[in-house]
Amino acid sequence: MYHITPVPAFEDNYIWVLCQQDNPSCIVVDPGDAGPVLAFLQQQQKIPAAILITHHHADHTGGITELQQHFPNVRVIGPAMEHSRIPQLIETVNDNQVVVIPQLDLTFAVIALPGHTLGHIAFYSAPVLFSGDTLFSAGCGRLFEGSPQQMWQSLQKLLALPDSTQIYCTHEYTLANLKFALTVEPDNAALLEYTQRCHDLRLAKQPTLPAELAKEKQINPFLRCTNKNLQQKWQKDSALALFSWLRASKDQFKS
């Protein structure tokens, strides 16, 4: 068995570290800052076998070089499309490839998710999904490089995963996302209940993540755009039209 720990960084980032008891190796995901990761590794007496990178933004890659200096044998694995923007990558991967981490007996499928960035990828090893900045709890990533259609198609890939999928995204954006979601569906009972639960978690200084895909299908407006009632309410004639409008509205939303 393994456990996955959120290592907080910056204002709202989580750097995920996957460990196994009695195993000195671990996996680090999207280390934007080396400092908190090094402190965690020292405390837990772990050595990273691999660093998984979902996309090129600095708050996901900024700690790679320092971690490589401390652990020169670590594999750094990330999107081939963004290699020029992440020169520290040792191994590059594309859609549908697999990444094997023998030290932890784990295999991840690579899922291409253009939208937030054009080369964005996720790493999936059931039930764990490291989704980077594509899918958040109650939200999705901003479209810095891709189009609404690309992001919508990327989210369809994630919607096809099992309901039990656990979403390990890299930002604690949940409460802000829920405020927007409630403007879209103020009478959604599942959304109201989930909002209260997440408020309680944050009051207790606990992360709201990981999120479960089954719940996200009930409460995340960006995953609910095929809902005919929502399309009718907001006078949109297709799922893509509703998604595009929601994403643009969220960009302007003041939480």
Side-chain angles (χ1 to χ4, degrees):
M1 289 295 294
Y2 53 78
H3 58 276
I4 303 173
T5 302
V7 177
F10 310 119
E11 291 186 6
D12 50 37
N13 281 66
Y14 290 139
I15 301 166
W16 298 105
V17 183
L18 186 154
C19 302
Q20 292 172 337
Q21 193 171 2
D22 301 322
N23 185 337
S25 297
C26 68
I27 298 169
V28 178
V29 182
D30 282 349
D33 186 3
V37 177
L38 289 169
F40 177 84
L41 296 176
Q42 182 176 22
Q43 179 189 39
Q44 300 295 320
Q45 296 186 307
K46 299 292 184 182
I47 297 172
I51 296 172
L52 305 182
I53 302 296
T54 61
H55 66 291
H56 67 78
H57 286 161
D59 62 321
H60 296 251
T61 63
I64 298 174
T65 298
E66 188 174 348
L67 289 171
Q68 287 177 309
Q69 291 168 353
H70 283 82
F71 306 102
N73 295 322
V74 68
R75 297 165 64 192
V76 184
I77 306 165
M81 275 189 65
E82 299 189 353
H83 193 189
S84 64
R85 305 183 76 169
I86 318 171
Q88 306 97 321
L89 292 180
I90 305 298
E91 303 173 37
T92 60
V93 289
N94 291 294
D95 193 27
N96 295 320
Q97 285 188 245
V98 296
V99 173
V100 179
I101 313 294
Q103 296 93 329
L104 292 101
D105 193 27
L106 283 173
T107 299
F108 292 90
V110 176
I111 306 173
L113 300 173
H116 183 67
T117 68
L118 290 178
H120 196 299
I121 59 174
F123 296 90
Y124 174 64
S125 181
V128 172
L129 176 73
F130 293 117
S131 63
D133 284 359
T134 293
L135 178 60
F136 299 122
S137 186
C140 74
R142 285 178 177 263
L143 304 180
F144 286 112
E145 297 175 15
S147 67
Q149 183 172 9
Q150 285 176 308
M151 180 63 100
W152 175 244
Q153 290 171 343
S154 292
L155 293 176
Q156 299 317 292
K157 290 185 180 182
L158 300 184
L159 277 168
L161 296 175
D163 279 354
S164 58
T165 299
Q166 300 295 303
I167 301 157
Y168 290 85
C169 55
T170 42
H171 290 280
E172 184 58 76
Y173 287 165
T174 308
L175 292 186
N177 288 340
L178 287 167
K179 287 182 181 179
F180 175 75
L182 284 166
T183 69
V184 180
E185 286 191 281
D187 300 322
N188 181 329
L191 177 58
L192 290 164
E193 179 186 4
Y194 186 69
T195 299
Q196 185 59 56
R197 181 158 71 89
C198 290
H199 272 292
D200 292 344
L201 285 169
R202 296 308 291 151
L203 281 173
K205 301 188 185 309
Q206 296 296 310
T208 61
L209 304 169
E212 186 174 64
L213 185 58
K215 178 63 68 175
E216 292 302 307
K217 289 180 178 181
Q218 296 177 337
I219 62 93
N220 189 327
F222 297 100
L223 300 183
R224 293 173 54 76
C225 294
T226 57
N227 184 300
K228 295 299 183 183
N229 291 331
L230 276 181
Q231 291 179 19
Q232 184 176 12
K233 175 181 178 178
W234 296 107
Q235 299 181 317
K236 304 301 174 186
D237 59 6
S238 69
L240 178 59
L242 178 57
F243 174 80
S244 301
W245 176 76
L246 286 173
R247 185 58 265 175
S249 299
K250 179 65 165 62
D251 289 344
Q252 303 300 320
F253 183 71
K254 305 297 183 185
S255 61

